Amino acid sequence: MSESPKDPETNPAASLPFVMRTRFDQPELLGASWWQERLLAAPARAGGSVEPSRRQALQTLLALGGFAVLGVGFGAARCSSSRSSSTQTALELQQTHGLTIDANGVPFVFADLVFSVCDGTQFDNAVLQNLATLLRPARQDLQPFYVPTLFQSLAAPSAGPLRNAIRPMHNAALERAEARGAAIRELLAVLDQPQTLALVVDLPGPEAVAFAAGLAGAVDVVFGFDNWPHPRGVVPSHQTLAAALYYAPRLAQPLGPAPRPLCLVLDRNRILPYHNEPDRFDNRYLARLPDTKALRALGITRVLYVAAEGAKAEEADDLNDEFVAYREGGLSVQLLGTGDLRLADPAPATGNNTGNTASSTSGSGARGGHYLWHGSPMHHWWFWSHYGFPHRQGPLAGVQPNGPVFGAGYRPTPRPSAFTGRPAGGLGLLPSRGRSNSSSSRGGSWGRSSGFTGS
Amino acid sequence: MGDTFFGIQLAVQSAPRDPWRQLLAERLRRWQRDLGHDDQRTLFGGLANHLREALARCPLGYWDLVRDGRAEFEEWQQGLEDDSAETWAPDPSGAKLDHALITLLFLVPAGSPADQLLGERCDLPEAHWLLRDTFAHLLETVAMLPFEHVRRTGVYLTPGGVQLAFSLPELRGTGYEYLEPLG
């Protein structure tokens, strides 16, 4: 068999089905791994590990959910070896039996659909087939953390009803989220050592996308959307997709100068309450983030968690284990509430030229207006001082806000939730449907399941 | 039903700077990029042939086929990749340093043609599992895989530097208990 690798220049990666996810070329290890994204796998984290507590969390969830189907992503993958082979997660069910399984004719319902995208051009539905590739991180070392499951759903053969219905979505809430992202982008211009910062944007899906779009170009965006949409889904992921279609040109734009912060984008709706209602499809899932070791390997020492306006001043329940591990691993973990990013106070009418106006510090350019930290240019430039991040002087001398700052004093602390705690005999995955596969259930396995590293 | 995991690991006698291993390393480096189906077929077909040539020099090996085996794939992958984070420390016992480990990993969708192929070709009598002929058969299977129906693949050479090597006692010791002598 001859080997004649095609020239990457003439054989663009975007057209190749096997995407390289990890690569090693060092004295300890030489090798690589690939995923065939077009097979629409439930991808697994390649750069980190899953703690037992998270697995227990999954089991607890399943126990709480009775017979509910739970799209649990990696947690399910790690549990799969102990799970009955006659059950499937929501995602597996959709991948096997169709994206709209059990929809019973219920259509996808969208709001605020538009015909153009964020750069003003007409929406081109060709993007539906390659959204997962389009939004893949440019940096190879970040690709293992990219979870494109939701974006991949658009290319599924069974996604015809979704593709027929979906268009870009845009509304005032997205404009506001985008403008808030742009406010942070403006601040990043004076941040020292930006490559040591990871933003974890955890907002309702469409707003998370819009916030990331506001930051686009100044950060390396890595999406973590790990489910498929469903017309009766607990998680309205189809709206997240519609927002991603609107902002795709911005999110896929060339990146600004390195070094840049990392921006991990999550859908806060992934763990919306669900009480086993028979008319809903449980497409919830647990977030997957790089673990401490992986973040450190990327040079990251600070994590800034971006929480939604009105949310509690703490990380989402399914992130508690990971965030506590971050802190215990020596990472700085802090909290930013988007409610603290406020529409700029009206410019003073004095005409003085101190540069003390919102517009003079602008540059964010989002259509939702100019948002500033605590609504004032002076407070805005106090932002990095508040968080204790090394930075240069902004265009204005910062002034500490008078009022409370959301999340001040926040510190990740172990807490009980539906995602932590007691190990349970997790029954509750829906029985699988259709034929069984034909492969042998037994090969050369000696039952080994650990101790493989030899170190 | 979850995906099916198939993995092979071989300990090959290969001294530092062994031309066979240098060629293997070059082969791996050449394909470290996004790949097409034909690329995968060429890569793993070439690796299969390369390893078959060295089977007589493989004292130890291991293979596994696990239905619903995504977790196994990830454990193998994670275990191997975690090694990259630790600086290589040669066996200090004074034993000859002349072995390397090569690992091939696959995850295929249940019920797919790749799964069926693996199911058929790996359904072997237990008494044959650890024969070199069986490994030759398994490597041949790797070369036959329809990569259009393979979800994930991985290939790893440990150590990565061709000037480094394990000792055989090391591979028979702690941490490598799962490796079995080949007959």
Side-chain angles (χ1 to χ4, degrees):
Chain A
M1 186 173 297
S2 65
E3 292 187 17
S4 54
K6 300 178 185 76
D7 178 359
E9 295 299 318
T10 59
N11 189 22
S15 66
L16 296 172
F18 274 94
V19 176
M20 186 170 66
R21 304 308 297 257
T22 58
R23 172 183 177 275
F24 300 86
D25 187 357
Q26 58 193 77
E28 294 76 17
L29 186 66
L30 173 62
S33 67
W34 294 265
W35 288 2
Q36 184 167 203
E37 295 183 343
R38 289 176 198 169
L39 271 184
L40 302 166
R45 176 162 55 189
S49 60
V50 168
E51 297 73 14
S53 57
R54 182 168 296 182
R55 295 200 296 273
Q56 291 169 0
L58 166 65
Q59 292 171 332
T60 305
L61 253 187
L62 297 176
L64 293 173
F67 59 82
V69 179
L70 180 62
V72 289
F74 189 64
R78 292 294 298 236
C79 287
S80 60
S81 60
S82 61
R83 196 175 70 214
S84 162
S85 62
S86 63
T87 59
Q88 292 182 298
T89 66
L91 182 61
E92 286 169 342
L93 270 178
Q94 289 180 286
Q95 289 177 341
T96 306
H97 300 284
L99 183 137
T100 55
I101 181 174
D102 286 346
N104 298 327
V106 173
F108 283 103
V109 176
F110 293 91
D112 304 317
L113 295 187
V114 294
F115 292 98
S116 58
V117 293
C118 66
D119 62 2
T121 60
Q122 193 79 7
F123 170 62
D124 177 0
N125 64 10
V127 76
L128 298 177
Q129 293 290 344
N130 66 359
L131 189 64
T133 303
L134 193 67
L135 300 184
R136 193 171 71 198
R139 271 176 55 187
Q140 202 168 73
D141 60 340
L142 298 180
Q143 290 177 4
F145 309 111
Y146 175 46
V147 185
T149 314
L150 177 64
F151 302 145
Q152 289 172 335
S153 68
L154 283 166
S158 63
L162 175 64
R163 285 193 296 269
N164 291 338
I166 198 168
R167 292 291 178 275
M169 165 183 153
H170 193 233
N171 58 30
L174 297 192
E175 281 196 357
R176 187 164 54 246
E178 179 191 353
R180 285 170 159 159
I184 300 301
R185 189 184 70 203
E186 184 179 47
L187 290 165
L188 290 174
V190 299
L191 178 65
D192 286 331
Q193 302 168 25
Q195 73 278 15
T196 64
L197 172 64
L199 292 158
V200 179
V201 176
D202 196 8
L203 305 175
E207 292 168 45
V209 170
F211 192 96
L215 285 160
V219 298
D220 287 296
V221 174
V222 178
F223 289 101
F225 300 148
D226 199 11
N227 70 343
W228 275 16
H230 189 276
R232 298 191 292 124
V234 176
V235 186
S237 301
H238 54 295
Q239 294 175 5
T240 305
L241 271 178
L245 292 178
Y246 181 82
Y247 285 111
R250 176 90 42 83
L251 292 163
Q253 72 182 15
L255 292 164
R260 296 175 295 271
L262 169 63
C263 180
L264 299 157
V265 183
L266 304 176
D267 180 355
R268 186 65 180 81
N269 289 336
R270 67 187 173 277
I271 52 171
L272 279 173
Y274 173 63
H275 304 291
N276 225 12
E277 300 94 331
D279 61 338
R280 303 175 78 195
F281 186 83
D282 189 0
N283 60 343
R284 296 176 302 164
Y285 59 98
L286 306 180
R288 295 191 277 126
L289 290 176
D291 63 13
T292 307
K293 182 178 165 188
L295 286 182
R296 285 205 173 278
L298 293 169
I300 288 163
T301 57
R302 301 166 185 274
V303 174
L304 185 57
Y305 180 66
V306 180
E309 185 170 14
K312 287 184 187 175
E314 62 187 19
E315 73 286 336
D317 286 346
D318 64 330
L319 300 180
N320 182 244
D321 290 344
E322 200 74 86
F323 274 38
V324 170
Y326 287 168
R327 179 177 59 77
E328 292 174 346
L331 301 181
S332 158
V333 185
Q334 294 178 282
L335 184 56
L336 164 67
T338 56
D340 277 351
L341 296 167
R342 301 171 195 157
L343 199 56
D345 295 335
T350 58
N352 68 35
N353 196 25
T354 61
N356 212 12
T357 65
S359 59
S360 68
T361 63
S362 182
S364 49
R367 279 171 290 178
H370 190 203
Y371 277 70
L372 299 168
W373 193 57
H374 283 260
S376 141
M378 289 180 296
H379 299 328
H380 191 58
W381 295 106
W382 182 257
F383 182 85
W384 297 122
S385 297
H386 169 76
Y387 286 103
F389 288 13
H391 64 284
R392 302 177 294 284
Q393 175 71 48
L396 297 175
V399 175
Q400 190 169 359
N402 298 321
V405 175
F406 182 85
Y410 160 76
R411 184 172 183 268
T413 307
R415 64 175 190 273
S417 75
F419 301 91
T420 54
R422 61 194 168 95
L427 300 175
L429 293 170
L430 205 69
S432 62
R433 304 161 196 199
R435 64 193 176 89
S436 59
N437 80 46
S438 61
S439 73
S440 167
S441 62
R442 187 71 196 98
S445 173
W446 286 269
R448 178 197 55 77
S449 62
S450 60
F452 190 72
T453 65
S455 53
Chain B
M1 180 69 62
D3 294 337
T4 296
F5 164 69
F6 178 54
I8 300 176
Q9 188 175 64
L10 283 164
V12 187
Q13 185 185 27
S14 173
R17 305 193 192 288
D18 167 17
W20 177 88
R21 184 142 57 108
Q22 293 196 33
L23 188 57
L24 177 65
E26 286 168 17
R27 198 187 288 270
L28 297 186
R29 286 195 182 93
R30 202 183 316 160
W31 295 95
Q32 286 188 325
R33 58 176 176 81
D34 292 355
L35 299 176
H37 297 134
D38 287 344
D39 296 331
Q40 287 274 350
R41 198 168 292 116
T42 305
L43 166 63
F44 281 99
L47 287 171
N49 290 336
H50 202 77
L51 287 168
R52 281 188 58 153
E53 289 171 14
L55 272 176
R57 293 190 282 130
C58 294
L60 303 168
Y62 183 86
W63 68 278
D64 214 346
L65 178 74
V66 184
R67 292 179 69 185
D68 208 2
R70 198 183 307 167
E72 280 74 10
F73 182 99
E74 284 158 358
E75 283 172 3
W76 280 61
Q77 181 183 31
Q78 190 72 52
L80 287 158
E81 295 186 356
D82 279 353
D83 279 352
S84 69
E86 296 182 17
T87 304
W88 181 264
D91 179 3
S93 70
K96 193 171 182 182
L97 302 174
D98 61 351
H99 281 76
L101 280 176
I102 178 85
T103 312
L104 312 180
L105 305 179
F106 306 90
L107 191 69
V108 306
S112 67
D115 187 36
Q116 292 175 17
L117 176 78
L118 290 171
E120 289 163 8
R121 292 185 60 90
C122 296
D123 193 9
L124 301 165
E126 186 167 352
H128 293 185
W129 284 353
L130 296 171
L131 299 179
R132 282 190 178 78
D133 282 351
T134 294
F135 277 81
H137 172 81
L138 296 174
L139 289 169
E140 192 175 70
T141 305
V142 166
M144 295 166 64
L145 279 171
F147 284 91
E148 294 83 355
H149 303 283
V150 174
R151 200 185 301 282
R152 295 167 66 175
T153 63
V155 55
Y156 301 92
L157 174 64
T158 316
V162 294
Q163 75 281 14
L164 304 174
F166 290 102
S167 70
L168 184 55
E170 203 175 0
L171 293 174
R172 286 179 171 148
T174 306
Y176 299 93
E177 295 88 348
Y178 60 90
L179 285 174
E180 299 280 348
L182 302 189

